[in-house]
């Protein structure tokens, strides 16, 4: 019988589930298929690298066709009525590699019917390699095992029970399988290069590849699952690191807008750094240190562990007054620098423990209610039903960034700097290196000083060296106000007087020689005292009531009681400018303050709004008003404590000193408590130049204060003096006297340059408002609504 010329067929399946057999295909007429046999290899050798992807696809498609072995006189297929043989199982070697490549004279087969369909791969023992096959004998890896078959995978049974185990046929099949394995390795490498994957032999140690082969035995599903999870985690971690690296190299437009707003996290400079003077010269005779407190950390980052990767999120404070503080010290020494003078700067973030607690809790778990002005705590509703956690008070465990005061007697010494907040916490700061020494609560100073709220702004009497505060103990039905005093003579302090009134937001108050005047602004708690106990944000608990009057409580320092009470139309003020007690014949008190129609100024200090200068957001305008409380001694005779009827309360006389808006007011220290003429502060340039903007609301570009102003409160006809620079946003100015004249001195401030994203020290001549010096700080200082003091 004439021998039939056939070719061996080999099939593999890659990790993506695509079968890639290489099958020479003989025609049905029995002609030699030599040309067709070499076709795949010729393609692999002749085609360029750019065609490897299409070449591989064509080979894979051709290999999936049914294999037909035909001859003029015989066929290796079964008869039409025969039973279909079971498929052969492979143990790392394709079943077709063990199939006999050529028929012999002993193999008597019936001729195939012309109309018969070709046999399927399963009918001739072709079994596709599955993912369950041992990876060590994968055809793509090459080696001797790829072309040698054994066991059940090395022989196939015909429908009539015949076996084809001829040595010649086995050798031919092994050779064909080896050639096929070599060809497939080359094709796989070319295909991987075309799609951007590196071949397994080129992978560096530890390199992550999505086409990485499993090395574990897939027969164990637990190990396979764990390895898959590890692979996914490595890929996810790699993607996360790539995103972080890309984010560090790229700055979005929102981030640029945030940086130019001056409201982003500050970088502390603990070491003393001498400032470089950019413009002007050292001020003659200026000696001392400027201490400032303001926002330092507005965003606190924390990590959240996901299922496959770790993500970073940020907790952002809602109100500028809630941000964690930065304390800055700028020292002027005229004798340093070879007699030419030097300016040394240092700064420090003083709430590190609180920042760490926010990171661990992913928000603020308020220790006491109302500890925030207007910020979301980022805590679940369930925390409201749980007892509030009590944390040990450390030197940096509280945010005290709303006021700064000099030489307050605390913990046995008055040589310190004290920063305060609105919840009765005082932070003792070392005046040399700004290191927080301790944080104490008012109740630790004196048991009678227990409070829920306090005034961040303290008042100091230079003659008696006393420091005064106003405390509020908010109850379910009433609120008790206490005026307290601390001094070197009374380091434990004492209560000057107490009275009962409605809860209010009192940021500052007034002090004269004989009286302490406490303004109580009209607020209501919509749900009463329990609402205050449940809320973390003060402004979400208290609501300004324009229908009720503001009340002034006049406390006698000599008799230690409330002397009398006055009322005025509803208004709100954060800062008092000055308070003057008139001669005894009249016995009246005048209080000058920056007055608003309501408390919108507090609610407009939203960080997210202040960061978007292009959104048209604006801070409301204020007036410089004077409230006169006449005939205090006479009114004291009619006042009955505990029986306040508003209808019988005398009115305070209101006088508008200046319509030009100003905030963060400052006067000469020598004229505090005395009649004065000049007031210094920050303002809006567009509203100063165009009066109509004050009536119409905010003008363009008036998001924040962008100039310094000097106002004559004695004569409204005198035009204001203004200092401004393009894109420069100043902070509170501090007057440093040079002589006994009221305006003979220096005005010291720090401004933020939103174009250069830098902060500079500014020294002006208080009389002429001319620049004397501009020096650049080593790092930007965030835009501040905080305060400053100058120590000589």
């Amino acid at each position: 019988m004439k021998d039939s010329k056939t070719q061996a067929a080999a099939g593999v399946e890659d990790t993506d589930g695509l079968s890639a057999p290489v099958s020479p295909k003989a025609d049905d007429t029995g002609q030699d298929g030599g040309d067709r046999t070499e076709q795949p290899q010729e393609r692999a050798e002749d085609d360029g690298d750019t065609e490897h992807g299409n070449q591989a696809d064509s080979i894979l498609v051709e290999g999936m066709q049914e294999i037909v072995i035909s001859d003029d006189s015989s066929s290796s297929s079964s008869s039409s009525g025969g039973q279909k043989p079971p498929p052969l199982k492979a143990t790392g070697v394709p079943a077709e590699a063990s199939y006999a490549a050529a028929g012999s004279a002993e193999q008597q087969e019936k001729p195939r019917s012309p109309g018969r369909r070709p046999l399927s791969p399963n009918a001739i023992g072709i079994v596709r390699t599955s993912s369950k096959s041992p990876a060590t004998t994968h055809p793509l890896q090459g080696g001797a095992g790829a072309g040698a078959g054994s066991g059940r995978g090395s022989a196939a049974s015909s429908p009539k029970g015949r076996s084809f185990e001829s040595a010649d046929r086995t050798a031919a099949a092994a050779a064909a399988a080896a050639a096929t394995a070599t060809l497939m390795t080359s094709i796989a490498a070319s295909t991987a290069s075309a799609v951007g994957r590196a071949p397994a032999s080129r992978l560096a140690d530890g390199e992550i590849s999505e086409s990485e082969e499993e090395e574990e035995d897939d027969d164990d599903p637990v190990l396979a699952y764990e390895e898959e999870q590890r692979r996914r985690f490595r890929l996810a971690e790699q993607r996360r690191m790539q995103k972080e690296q890309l984010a560090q190299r790229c700055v979005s437009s929102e981030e640029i807008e945030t940086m130019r707003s001056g409201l982003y996290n500050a970088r502390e400079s603990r070491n003393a750094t001498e400032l470089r003077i950019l413009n002007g010269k050292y001020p003659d005779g200026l000696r001392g240190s400027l201490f400032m407190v303001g926002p330092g950390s507005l965003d606190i980052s924390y990590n959240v562990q996901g299922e496959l990767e770790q993500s970073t999120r940020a907790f952002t404070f809602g109100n500028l007054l809630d941000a964690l503080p930065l304390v800055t010290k700028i020292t002027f020494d005229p004798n340093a620098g070879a007699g030419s003078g030097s300016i040394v700067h240092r700064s420090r973030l003083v709430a590190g423990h609180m920042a760490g607690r926010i990171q661990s809790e992913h928000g603020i778990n308020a220790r006491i209610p109302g500890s925030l002005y207007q910020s979301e705590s980022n805590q679940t509703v369930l925390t409201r039903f749980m007892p509030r956690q009590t944390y040990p008070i450390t030197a940096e465990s509280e945010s005290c960034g709303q006021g700064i005061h000099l030489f307050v007697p605390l913990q046995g010494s008055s040589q310190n700097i004290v920063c305060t907040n609105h919840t009765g916490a005082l932070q003792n700061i070392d005046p040399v290196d700004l290191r927080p020494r301790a944080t104490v609560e008012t109740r630790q100073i004196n048991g009678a000083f227990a409070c829920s709220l306090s005034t961040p702004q303290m008042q100091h009497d230079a003659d008696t060296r006393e420091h005064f505060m106003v405390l509020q103990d908010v109850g379910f039905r009433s609120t008790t106000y206490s005026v307290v005093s601390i001094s070197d003579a009374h380091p434990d302090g004492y209560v000057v007087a107490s009275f009962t009134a409605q809860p209010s937001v009192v940021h500052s108050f007034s002090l004269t020689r004989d009286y302490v005047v406490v303004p109580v602004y009209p607020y209501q708690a919509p749900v009463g005292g329990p609402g205050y106990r449940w809320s973390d944000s003060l402004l979400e608990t208290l609501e300004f009531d324009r229908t009720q009057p503001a009340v002034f409580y006049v406390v006698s320092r000599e008799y230690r009681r409330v002397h009398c009470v006055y009322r005025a139309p509803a208004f709100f003020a954060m800062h008092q400018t000055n308070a003057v007690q008139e001669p005894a014949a009249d016995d009246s008190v005048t209080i000058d303050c920056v007055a608003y129609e309501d408390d919108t100024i507090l609610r407009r200090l939203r960080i997210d709004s202040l960061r978007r200068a292009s959104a048209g957001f604006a801070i409301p305008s204020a007036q410089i008003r004077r409230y006169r409380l006449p005939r205090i001694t006479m009114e004291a005779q009619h006042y009955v404590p505990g029986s306040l009827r508003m209808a019988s309360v005398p009115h305070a006389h209101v006088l508008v000193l200046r319509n030009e808006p100003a905030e963060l007011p400052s006067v000469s220290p020598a004229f505090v408590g005395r009649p004065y003429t000049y007031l210094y502060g920050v303002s809006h340039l567009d509203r100063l130049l165009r009066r109509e903007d004050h009536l119409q609301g905010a003008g363009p570009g008036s998001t924040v204060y962008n100039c310094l102003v000097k106002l004559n409160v004695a004569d409204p006809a005198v035009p204001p003096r203004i200092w401004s620079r393009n894109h420069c946003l100043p902070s509170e100015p501090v007057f440093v006297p040079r002589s006994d004249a009221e305006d003979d001195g220096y005005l010291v401030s720090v401004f933020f340059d939103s174009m250069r994203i830098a902060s500079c020290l500014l020294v002006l001549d208080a009389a002429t408002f001319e620049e004397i010096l501009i020096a650049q700080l080593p790092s930007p200082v965030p835009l501040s609504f905080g305060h400053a003091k100058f120590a000589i």
Side-chain angles (χ1 to χ4, degrees), residues 117-129:
R117 295 185 61 186
L119 297 178
S120 65
N122 288 338
I124 59 175
I126 297 178
V127 179
R128 296 178 182 176
T129 303

Side-chain angles (χ1 to χ4, degrees), residues 288 308 350 480 535 607 673:
L308 296 178
V350 293
T480 301
S535 179
I607 294 177

Side-chain angles (χ1 to χ4, degrees), residues 14-16 130-138 140-141 200 203 209-235:
D14 62 6
T15 55
D16 294 330
S130 67
S131 59
K132 297 297 182 180
S133 301
T136 56
T137 58
H138 196 282
L140 292 181
Q141 294 181 343
L203 289 179
S209 174
E210 295 184 3
S211 62
E212 186 180 52
E213 296 293 339
E214 299 290 345
E215 297 295 337
E216 287 78 4
D217 187 359
D218 289 342
D219 291 339
D220 190 343
V222 177
L223 294 178
Y225 175 77
E226 292 179 352
E227 177 60 25
E228 178 65 17
Q229 291 298 104
R230 285 192 291 268
R231 188 182 70 85
R232 291 183 180 181
F233 179 80
R234 289 194 299 268
L235 291 174

Side-chain angles (χ1 to χ4, degrees), residues 642-769:
S643 61
L644 182 63
R645 291 182 300 175
M646 199 56 61
S648 60
V649 174
H651 290 271
H653 301 164
V654 184
L655 175 64
V656 177
L657 299 179
R658 301 291 300 224
N659 272 320
E660 292 87 351
E663 235 327 338
L664 301 173
S666 175
V667 299
S668 173
F671 286 80
V672 173
R674 296 171 50 190
Y676 70 106
T677 302
Y678 300 110
L679 176 147
Y680 309 90
V682 296
S683 184
H684 297 106
L685 180 63
D686 55 331
R687 301 183 195 178
L688 290 175
L689 299 180
R690 293 175 292 181
R691 298 286 185 89
E692 64 273 10
D693 285 346
H694 171 69
L695 301 177
Q696 298 175 1
S702 58
T703 301
V704 292
Y705 305 109
N706 55 7
C707 70
L708 296 176
V709 62
K710 176 184 178 181
L711 298 176
N712 187 323
V713 297
D715 186 359
V718 176
R721 290 187 178 272
I722 301 172
W723 174 90
S724 68
R725 277 178 174 263
N726 291 335
H727 314 292
C728 292
L729 311 174
S731 61
E732 178 186 29
V734 178
F735 185 90
V736 182
R738 187 165 44 187
S739 67
D740 294 337
E742 183 177 356
D743 63 346
D744 184 18
Y746 301 107
L747 206 63
V748 183
S749 178
V750 171
F751 66 84
F752 176 79
D753 189 337
S754 61
M755 183 59 65
R756 298 172 55 240
I757 310 181
S759 293
C760 295
L761 171 69
L762 171 68
V763 180
L764 298 178
D765 187 305
T768 63
F769 248 50

